[in-house]
Amino acid sequence: MQAPLPLTRDLVLIGGGHTHALVLRMWGMNPLPGTRLTLINPGPTAPYSGMLPGFVAGHYQREALDIDLVKLARFAGARIVFGRVDGIDREARLINVTGRAPIFYDVASVDIGITSDLPALEGFTAHAVPAKPLGAFATRWDGFVQSAPTSPRVAVIGAGVAGVELSLAAQHRMEQAGLNGHVVLLEAGEAALRDIGDGARRALLAQLEQKRVELRVNAKIARVTNNGVTLETDEDIAAGFVIGAAGALPQAWLGDTGLQLSDGFIDVGPTLQSLNDPAIFAVGDCAHLTHAPRPKAGVFAVREAPVLVHNLRAALSGGRLQPYHPQKDYLKLISTGHKRAVADKLGLRLEGDWLWRWKNQIDQKFMGKFRELPVMTSVPEVPTRAALGLAEMLQGAKPPCGGCAAKPGAHVLSDGLAGLQQPMRSDVLQGAGDDAAVLRHGDGVQVITADHFRAFFDDPYLMARIAAVHALGDIWAMGAQPQAALATLILPRMRDRMQEQTLREIMAAASEVFREAGADLVGGHTSVGPELTVGFTVTGLHSGAPVGLSGAKPGDVLLLTKPIGSGTIFAAEMQGQARGEDVAAALGVMAGPLGTASGILAPVAHAMTDVTGYGLAGHLLTILRASGVSADLSLAQVPFMQGALELAQSGIRSTLYPDNAVMQAQMAGFDEGDPRCALLLDPQTAGGLLAAVPPEHVDATLAELSAKGVTAVRIGVLGEGPPLIGLG
């Protein structure tokens, strides 16, 4: 089998705008070997601006606006980093991302859009909602409509195309919701819609009048308040929701990059490269086309994509770049709220429901490019001549899971360790069998454990954080105080500078986690291999007897500190079937440390463990076997990660699931058709603590956990009998 090709160049896309979304799709169809592609975006989705007025009007659901960047990145073979860029160190070729280690680039492209925020207007930031960025605006608008009073009032600042379109959409949405709403559209100038043809302008003004949208011109705003807008004439205009649709402002951090700018927008030439830094490209609304200035419009962003992807490939491979020549004019289709639209072309007055249907068709076709990605598979074909058993192992195989779902089955582990000798040293108090080995250390004990996993998400920084939390889980499960850690890393083959930066990201993330836990990262070992693997050996100290598996008693209540479902979610993500929002939420849960929970649970728990590869059921069974008790588990109380139940219901399973499924024999009431049962066997990575707590301490313990910001739930109770789990 051919080894993966080494990586030699880093390409970073800053922002998930329309151009970059199309670049990712094109890249997935024809990637450039040797390139590591990275997308940095604040969240897992990017809203499509063309459908925003339709959403405001109620024609589309919120999710219809979103391009799922996680699925798109998986298709493109790109890593996605959730974060907000706040600067570029062009000399060091580093992109600064708030709250994490910088990201190295050889070539970067910027597609971060614009904002309609008006920070200079008193009270705007506190009391108004800019129409851009779109995602935050869409969420706020949806919440407003859901909780609006009977007669809501909306004020829209700016009577350009965007302001008129949003005003008509807002008025329609409130009417459809049975609300007696009123929209006032405020324009500081002498006339509305100054930048479109006369025919379209007359049609839109007629629509404003017909829909009883109040248009106010020469309405210069002094301030925005909690109750609406105050004009410079001291007139107060009441509004429960104020929309900023005026102006097109660049992101402020661009001003500190040293890039040549025009009014804060990145100056680019025909090849879409910065005029004073050819290693940086810029597209969409954040760029200024110096060779052919154009208004800020999505049509240009979409048509830049083929040129940009060609030029990025050329810049990375030594090829010849192409120029981008934008069209001089374009058709504007402007929706009017009630599934009608106006066309702006050649000064003509064109309007009707047929234009809205045409616009909807264009929008749906664009979004269809990202909803209908080809299914990618990495399962190798069976050679004509191969060893016996190979075809059977590959038949119906799915992409191999990472994380704790990549470990061998429980029977493999137990059989393989069966011959392990008992400790011969008197200071080794306990070897294999519990969460960590226990060594005598002065008047107390030292616990030691090792854990690692192959990456299941292509972000070294985030994987290092989760791997550190995962390794510390065994220390926290025994109630010990983390002491020191050694890293064991396998880095993919790549050029030295890229390996160096990847190592910096990993060590920065891990050091943060261990220092927060009170431990030092003191060194480790690295090697080079086919894929990223991150692991740590961790020690901890305990002044007395650590919490183990064998102390649970009948009547104890089972408390769990994290929801389950990570194995299913990331099995689905590898197959391109998980929603990006669910993936991001799961990563947030997994990266959460357990130190606070351990400090509260350990003093009262009779037994405790962390939930990892053998699932909630498997780790509960280790307590039951060690303690000689049974358990009644309440399926209704078990918490599940966002999206996990739906994926389990659809049949998604991790590659470790079949091995874990043998535990069904020890689970009374297990129902194959119930996704909650399947998720009990789901392998977890960096899962929560499972503690057996005496009933008299449960309420106080839960209250203390809640006060410290830890979510924990009671999921069952222990009883007399053999080590079986009853489900109810």
Side-chain angles (χ1 to χ4, degrees):
M1 183 180 296
Q2 183 178 359
L5 295 172
L7 300 171
T8 61
R9 289 294 181 271
D10 261 319
L11 169 60
V12 180
L13 306 181
I14 303 173
H18 302 350
T19 314
H20 280 176
L22 288 167
V23 166
L24 286 166
R25 194 181 194 281
M26 295 174 190
W27 194 276
M29 297 291 192
N30 186 23
L32 181 66
T35 303
R36 176 169 63 177
L37 176 59
T38 300
L39 171 67
I40 308 173
N41 197 68
T45 61
Y48 170 51
S49 59
M51 295 173 70
L52 178 65
F55 163 76
V56 172
H59 304 321
Y60 307 120
Q61 296 297 312
R62 174 66 179 85
E63 57 269 20
L65 271 65
D66 289 333
I67 299 171
D68 193 319
L69 296 176
V70 174
K71 289 183 179 181
L72 191 55
R74 169 65 67 179
F75 173 75
R79 65 170 175 164
I80 181 169
V81 172
F82 302 131
R84 191 173 298 278
V85 172
D86 56 26
I88 300 176
D89 183 341
R90 291 166 45 224
E91 183 176 351
R93 295 281 181 96
L94 293 175
I95 298 166
N96 299 319
V97 182
T98 304
R100 59 162 291 151
I103 295 173
F104 174 73
Y105 70 93
D106 290 291
V107 175
S109 180
V110 186
D111 185 13
I112 55 174
I114 57 176
T115 177
S116 50
D117 194 4
L118 300 171
L121 179 58
E122 182 183 342
F124 184 92
T125 302
H127 303 298
V129 185
K132 291 188 176 183
L134 304 182
F137 169 77
T139 301
R140 292 278 295 276
W141 169 253
D142 214 18
F144 171 74
V145 174
Q146 298 297 328
S147 60
T150 306
S151 300
R153 294 179 62 87
V154 175
V156 180
I157 302 173
V161 169
V164 169
E165 206 169 17
L166 290 174
S167 296
L168 291 168
Q171 185 68 41
H172 179 78
R173 174 73 175 273
M174 290 189 291
E175 288 175 1
Q176 293 300 110
L179 302 172
N180 183 29
H182 178 73
V183 178
V184 58
L185 177 58
L186 303 171
E187 170 59 44
E190 296 181 356
L193 297 165
R194 295 188 299 270
D195 298 327
I196 63 174
D198 182 64
R201 183 174 183 272
R202 286 187 286 111
L204 290 170
L205 289 175
Q207 285 293 319
L208 290 173
E209 184 176 356
Q210 180 182 337
K211 294 299 178 182
R212 300 185 304 281
V213 173
E214 182 184 354
L215 173 62
R216 302 279 299 272
V217 296
N218 294 313
K220 295 180 173 60
I221 300 172
R223 70 190 68 86
V224 182
T225 69
N226 190 45
N227 299 315
V229 172
T230 300
L231 303 182
E232 289 184 356
T233 58
D234 287 333
E235 178 185 357
D236 290 324
I237 298 175
F241 196 83
V242 178
I243 300 172
L249 301 179
Q251 303 286 348
W253 64 267
L254 292 174
D256 299 323
T257 60
L259 294 170
Q260 182 174 316
L261 308 176
S262 289
D263 297 323
F265 300 99
I266 302 173
D267 286 340
V268 299
T271 60
L272 304 177
Q273 291 168 292
S274 163
L275 292 186
N276 66 330
D277 191 340
I280 295 180
F281 293 72
V283 289
D285 289 350
C286 69
H288 172 61
L289 301 173
T290 59
H291 64 294
R294 292 292 186 272
K296 306 299 181 186
V299 64
F300 300 118
V302 169
R303 295 190 180 184
E304 285 170 336
V307 176
L308 178 62
V309 76
H310 171 88
N311 288 350
L312 291 174
R313 292 170 63 88
L316 292 160
S317 61
R320 185 170 182 174
L321 279 65
Q322 295 179 351
Y324 168 66
H325 299 296
Q327 67 270 40
K328 293 182 178 179
D329 193 15
Y330 64 98
L331 174 68
K332 301 185 188 77
L333 292 174
I334 307 162
S335 60
T336 57
H338 52 301
K339 292 192 176 182
R340 289 176 62 86
V342 169
D344 179 24
K345 186 72 172 179
L346 301 175
L348 300 175
R349 179 169 180 170
L350 300 171
E351 58 184 311
D353 53 4
W354 65 277
L355 284 171
W356 188 89
R357 289 195 299 270
W358 187 17
K359 173 176 166 50
N360 180 60
Q361 186 180 37
I362 294 170
D363 291 337
Q364 296 293 354
K365 182 178 180 181
F366 178 80
M367 291 300 288
K369 293 177 183 291
F370 309 109
R371 297 183 185 130
E372 299 161 10
L373 297 170
V375 176
M376 309 298 287
T377 178
S378 59
V379 178
E381 294 184 3
V382 181
T384 305
R385 190 173 182 83
L388 295 174
L390 180 61
E392 288 76 7
M393 287 196 70
L394 292 178
Q395 185 176 11
K398 301 171 183 176
C401 291
C404 229
K407 66 195 304 179
H411 67 284
V412 173
L413 189 64
S414 60
D415 291 348
L417 296 178
L420 190 65
Q421 296 180 348
Q422 293 298 311
M424 65 178 185
R425 294 178 57 96
S426 60
D427 54 353
V428 179
L429 304 180
Q430 183 174 303
D434 215 311
D435 286 311
V438 182
L439 314 178
R440 182 175 290 111
H441 184 274
D443 294 332
V445 298
Q446 181 185 55
V447 296
I448 183 169
T449 185
D451 223 321
H452 77 270
F453 55 67
R454 53 186 293 269
F456 55 88
F457 194 73
D458 199 2
D459 178 357
Y461 181 90
L462 188 54
M463 286 301 93
R465 280 198 66 88
I466 293 173
V469 169
H470 183 76
L472 283 165
D474 290 336
I475 305 298
W476 283 320
M478 301 190 83
Q481 174 61 46
Q483 179 191 23
L486 293 167
T488 304
L489 309 174
I490 301 176
L491 300 176
R493 287 200 303 159
M494 59 182 79
R495 98 174 194 261
D496 288 352
R497 176 63 196 267
M498 294 171 69
Q499 280 193 341
E500 172 191 324
Q501 190 58 38
T502 300
L503 186 57
R504 286 181 183 275
E505 289 186 46
I506 291 171
M507 299 306 280
S511 295
E512 289 171 8
V513 173
F514 287 118
R515 284 192 174 277
E516 288 170 4
D520 288 316
L521 181 56
V522 294
H525 178 75
T526 60
S527 61
V528 176
E531 59 186 352
L532 177 65
T533 299
V534 184
F536 299 96
T537 298
V538 189
T539 63
L541 299 175
H542 199 293
S543 58
V547 183
L549 301 172
S550 60
K553 305 181 186 309
D556 283 351
V557 176
L558 294 169
L559 302 183
L560 180 65
T561 66
K562 282 188 182 182
I564 62 175
S566 62
T568 293
I569 289 172
F570 285 95
E573 193 277 324
M574 293 187 72
Q575 300 171 43
Q577 296 187 49
R579 294 193 329 145
E581 290 183 351
D582 297 338
V583 171
L587 289 168
V589 171
M590 297 159 76
L594 303 173
T596 300
S598 173
I600 295 170
L601 288 167
V604 296
H606 284 152
M608 189 158 64
T609 187
D610 61 327
V611 180
T612 54
Y614 300 122
L616 176 58
H619 287 275
L620 174 55
L621 283 169
T622 62
I623 290 178
L624 302 186
R625 296 189 191 107
S627 301
V629 295
S630 65
D632 287 317
L633 209 60
S634 171
L635 284 173
Q637 300 302 316
V638 176
F640 301 104
M641 289 183 177
Q642 174 184 308
L645 276 171
E646 293 83 354
L647 290 169
Q649 182 69 60
S650 70
I652 298 292
R653 301 288 186 272
S654 77
T655 48
L656 185 58
Y657 182 87
D659 286 297
N660 284 354
V662 300
M663 289 181 279
Q664 294 179 30
Q666 295 169 278
M667 301 169 69
F670 189 93
D671 180 359
E672 286 277 6
D674 190 336
R676 299 174 301 173
C677 291
L679 288 171
L680 296 180
L681 302 171
D682 188 50
Q684 305 305 293
T685 303
L689 294 175
L690 176 66
V693 176
E696 63 271 20
H697 293 297
V698 169
D699 288 341
T701 300
L702 287 173
E704 187 177 358
L705 288 166
S706 179
K708 293 294 179 63
V710 178
T711 300
V713 294
R714 41 181 117 198
I715 62 170
V717 64
L718 301 183
E720 303 276 359
L724 298 174
I725 301 173
L727 302 179

